[in-house]
Amino acid sequence: MSNFETIRSREEIPQEDTWALEDLYVSDEAWEQALSALMARKDEVAAYAGKLGESGETLCAFLHLVEDMGSQMELLANYATRKADQDTRNATYQAMVGKLMGALTSVSAAFSFDTPEIMAIPEEALESFYKACPDLERYRRYLNNERRRKAHTLTAAEERLLASAGEMANAPDTVYSSFINADMHYPDAVDGEGKAHALSQSTFVPLEESGDRVLRKSAYENLYNTLHGMRNTAAGLLDAQNKQLKFFAEARKYGSAREAALDGTNVPVSVYDNLIEAVHQNMDKMHRYVRLRKKLLGVDELHFYDVYTPLLKDEPARIPFAQAKQTVYDALYPLGDGYRAILKEGFENRWIDVYENQGKRGGAYSAGTAVHPFVLLNYSGSLDSQFTLAHEMGHALHSYLSNKHQNPIDSDYVIFVAEVASTCNEALLMEYLLKKTTDKKERVFLINHFLDQFKGTIYRQTMFAEFEKFMGAAVDAGQTLTADMLSAEYARLCKLYYGDDMVVDDQIAMEWARIPHFYYNYYVFQYATGYSAAIALSRRILREGESAVKDYLGFLSGGCSKSPIDLLKGAGVDMTSPAPVNDALKLFGELLDEMESLMAE
């Protein structure tokens, strides 16, 4: 799309710009048949109850079943969820997702005996199983990872009860998604000439990038004032989300929901806290960025509707999607021909749902499957949307390579490393564009974008992580998350992170209500750690070439075959140290130096 005045219906989007969900199932009827076939296999699962400790052959056969049914569930979930995200107003696919969640909860409950039984196998017996059944070696990593959480595993009956509560536990996220994407409607934003622009979750940030301050302010106030009118509903959903996390954490004998979330991916809580501390120690650079932005925009007061707009009045022309694909392809040449051949395959074979349509889920994501990845975009033609393309295809190729090189049970990389490949692509794209340009204005525009990436990914996501830590601590202390409490804390953090040169108003204090990631269970800190790792990896790739690329592709192909910390160490980055965060923010400071120098000329 080249403008935001109209949002097309799904039927108006050309097929070549939509994802090929028929690669998963040829029709809804085929999906229904596959779901019925999966449900029919629950009896196969039940036949193993009480028998997993009998022999290596029995355990191996059961894990083959786990792997096979897990692959089926992944395909079923992807089809239903992708269909629902195409148009969140479509009741047929919302009902399909509901049916799926009920079925998956039922299947999960059927498997609930396995973890307690696996935990109960004595170490000596398990080693004898490996010797007697060599095929069981395929699952050694999986079994070791399961058994390391023995202290947090309950009895079979208790595990079944928790599994049965899974659908209910997903309710806050499910309701929030419908609330924010389908039910919320905002007044049109109006520009300086009185022209109306459609305002939605998807168009908000592109409108905030506009050089028209009247339009930016209108979009900002209309979105947040509307959310303010629903603040108690939004707060109630976040309170329910955090309380269900607390319930499950306490049931499994964790000290907090945050500890439970990080233990699921085998990441020390200290990594989370070290990130916040490292960013606090580098807050002067963020405040310096804010002062520079205020100065270059020439405003008496800097508001949050001024933080996305480019610092130059003459914005680059909109980038057609075909051009964006070619630029991303060219920029990723350091990763080698093999990597780019897969990228091209995705571009040419409808892995991507490109443009916004009415009711479509906002934002962007990549969902990996054994068939191939599926990427959702709301491509607008801005520079930011070109970077989003690079970002999501980084996810996509990470999934593709892990699925290709790992057994299904080891192919799904954990969320701690999920943002590394995506942001490494962005960093390589930025380096390519900076190297290519000789125009001062274009260079300033790009550096501004790079600075905004640091601001948005390290500082902003760490602020979100600190907000999540606050919510978890408040709920742990027996408090209810009210709209007033959430807004007060959010405003405090905005003041801390942005400093005295930014106006912290009542509208931005409501931003927590539009952030879907607060329903992702302590996910956001990994954007910041992932970005820091990606900066280190991209610089190593550009500096060392083939040897670094080999290590990096090994990381992308690793799935969850090792702990995330060890996978990154294999690629040359140690995230237990604050060094990657400090080094990334050092680069942020150097970019500030160059921006100041360019603008002084």
Side-chain angles (χ1 to χ4, degrees), residues 90-135:
N90 189 312
T92 297
Y93 293 116
Q94 300 307 314
M96 179 182 278
V97 170
K99 184 176 183 179
L100 171 77
M101 293 307 299
L104 295 188
T105 297
S106 176
V107 171
S108 179
F111 275 107
S112 61
F113 66 86
D114 68 343
T115 301
E117 289 193 30
I118 288 171
M119 297 296 186
I121 300 172
E123 194 65 35
E124 300 79 7
L126 186 58
E127 285 301 323
S128 71
F129 286 179
Y130 288 124
K131 293 178 181 177
C133 180
D135 287 348

Side-chain angles (χ1 to χ4, degrees), residues 96 221 363 408 459:
M96 179 182 278
E221 292 181 344
Y459 286 105

Side-chain angles (χ1 to χ4, degrees), residues 335-453:
L335 296 180
D337 292 341
Y339 183 96
R340 293 203 298 168
I342 302 167
L343 183 69
K344 188 175 182 181
E345 179 182 343
F347 285 162
E348 295 179 351
N349 290 281
R350 294 178 55 215
W351 290 9
I352 307 172
D353 204 77
V354 183
Y355 299 110
E356 181 181 11
N357 58 252
Q358 295 172 16
K360 183 177 177 180
R361 173 177 167 152
Y365 64 70
S366 172
T369 77
V371 175
H372 61 69
F374 291 87
V375 173
L376 179 140
L377 300 178
N378 283 276
Y379 188 81
S380 67
S382 67
L383 179 66
D384 185 64
S385 62
Q386 179 175 255
F387 273 91
T388 299
L389 172 63
H391 181 103
E392 298 305 337
M393 292 309 290
H395 284 306
L397 267 71
H398 192 178
S399 297
Y400 180 94
L401 289 168
S402 286
N403 277 310
K404 180 179 179 180
H405 293 282
Q406 299 297 327
N407 296 322
I409 208 162
D410 290 328
S411 64
D412 190 14
Y413 52 82
V414 301
I415 59 175
F416 184 76
V417 299
E419 296 303 328
V420 175
S422 54
T423 46
C424 185
N425 272 12
E426 287 196 74
L428 291 172
L429 174 58
M430 180 57 72
E431 294 283 0
Y432 171 80
L433 293 174
L434 285 172
K435 184 177 180 180
K436 194 171 106 169
T437 186
T438 57
D439 181 77
K440 173 187 169 183
K441 285 188 176 181
E442 184 178 4
R443 188 167 186 84
V444 169
F445 192 92
L446 289 169
I447 292 175
N448 171 53
H449 187 89
F450 209 176
L451 290 171
D452 283 350
Q453 285 183 313

